[in-house]
Amino acid sequence: MKILLLLNILPVLSAWSFVPPNVSRKAIKNELLEVCSDVNRGLTSTFDEDEKILKLFEKLEKLNPTKSPLKSSLVNDTWELQYTTSAAILGKGDYPRVGPILQSIDTTTLSAENTEVVSYFGLKVPRKVTANLIPVNGQLTDVKFERFSVGPIGFDAPDKFRGSLDVTYLDKDMRLTRGDLGNLFVLTRFNAAK
């Protein structure tokens, strides 16, 4: 009898502890963006901060509201980098990036473009790379870099410059992506706050 009573009460107790996904999702997103802001896109992050970001990142991945991000029109836009574990993209040990680091994605043309401004001894120089996207499925795409530009000078990317992006979370204002080298990327829609 006690077991039957317990089995009947468990669903009620579970309902009390259930947090609606949109409420917890919003709180997790806000906390993630706050930590990302505190660590200057990852430039100044400590091991503990990186671990905290990873845990929040993984929580959001489990709450992904878009099951096939690359098939959703939500992915097509310009996204601003808020955090990454990629030292190369952050420019660690290199000339500083000034202003936003942006990535534009267009799955209708299967293209992407990354742009940034780098300060070379105080001289601000725009840099960009264009790429073709080769979707593997609704979440994962291979990337073939096509052309690099530094200021007015452009050159074709070597054929071996390839990678992949796994879009593991997408909503109307945030995208989480894992790169082929294990790097994490937290991006927000660039025009959302404009």
Side-chain angles (χ1 to χ4, degrees), residues 35-91:
V35 179
C36 291
S37 176
D38 291 345
V39 299
N40 191 17
R41 293 189 286 229
L43 271 171
T44 61
S45 62
T46 65
F47 176 81
D48 289 340
E49 289 166 325
D50 286 336
E51 285 297 306
K52 182 175 185 177
I53 289 170
L54 175 61
K55 287 178 182 169
L56 293 166
F57 191 101
E58 289 173 340
K59 283 182 183 180
L60 273 179
E61 286 178 316
K62 292 176 184 168
L63 297 173
N64 183 12
T66 310
K67 295 306 170 204
S68 294
L70 293 175
K71 294 180 179 180
S72 170
S73 62
L74 287 174
V75 77
N76 296 323
D77 207 345
T78 300
W79 297 87
E80 182 175 357
L81 182 68
Q82 300 300 323
Y83 171 84
T84 185
T85 54
S86 170
I89 289 175
L90 289 171

Side-chain angles (χ1 to χ4, degrees), residues 33 41 77-83 99-104 173 175 186-191 193-194:
L33 290 175
R41 293 189 286 229
D77 207 345
T78 300
W79 297 87
E80 182 175 357
L81 182 68
Q82 300 300 323
Y83 171 84
I101 298 174
L102 304 175
Q103 182 177 68
S104 297
D173 55 9
R175 177 167 58 94
V186 176
L187 304 105
T188 55
R189 194 173 303 278
F190 184 58
N191 296 323
K194 308 293 182 248

Side-chain angles (χ1 to χ4, degrees), residues 91-163:
K92 284 186 176 179
D94 195 6
Y95 296 98
R97 277 54 173 170
V98 292
I101 298 174
L102 304 175
Q103 182 177 68
S104 297
I105 291 183
D106 186 343
T107 58
T108 62
T109 60
L110 296 178
S111 62
E113 179 178 275
N114 295 345
T115 59
E116 65 186 2
V117 176
V118 178
S119 178
Y120 295 102
F121 306 106
L123 179 63
K124 295 178 182 175
V125 179
R127 299 195 315 188
K128 78 175 177 180
V129 59
T130 58
N132 289 329
L133 304 176
I134 305 121
V136 175
N137 58 42
Q139 180 176 314
L140 177 69
T141 185
D142 289 333
V143 178
K144 178 170 182 327
F145 297 100
E146 292 295 327
R147 189 152 179 83
F148 291 95
S149 298
V150 179
I153 301 166
F155 51 94
D156 292 336
D159 192 51
K160 67 180 180 178
F161 280 51
R162 296 172 181 264

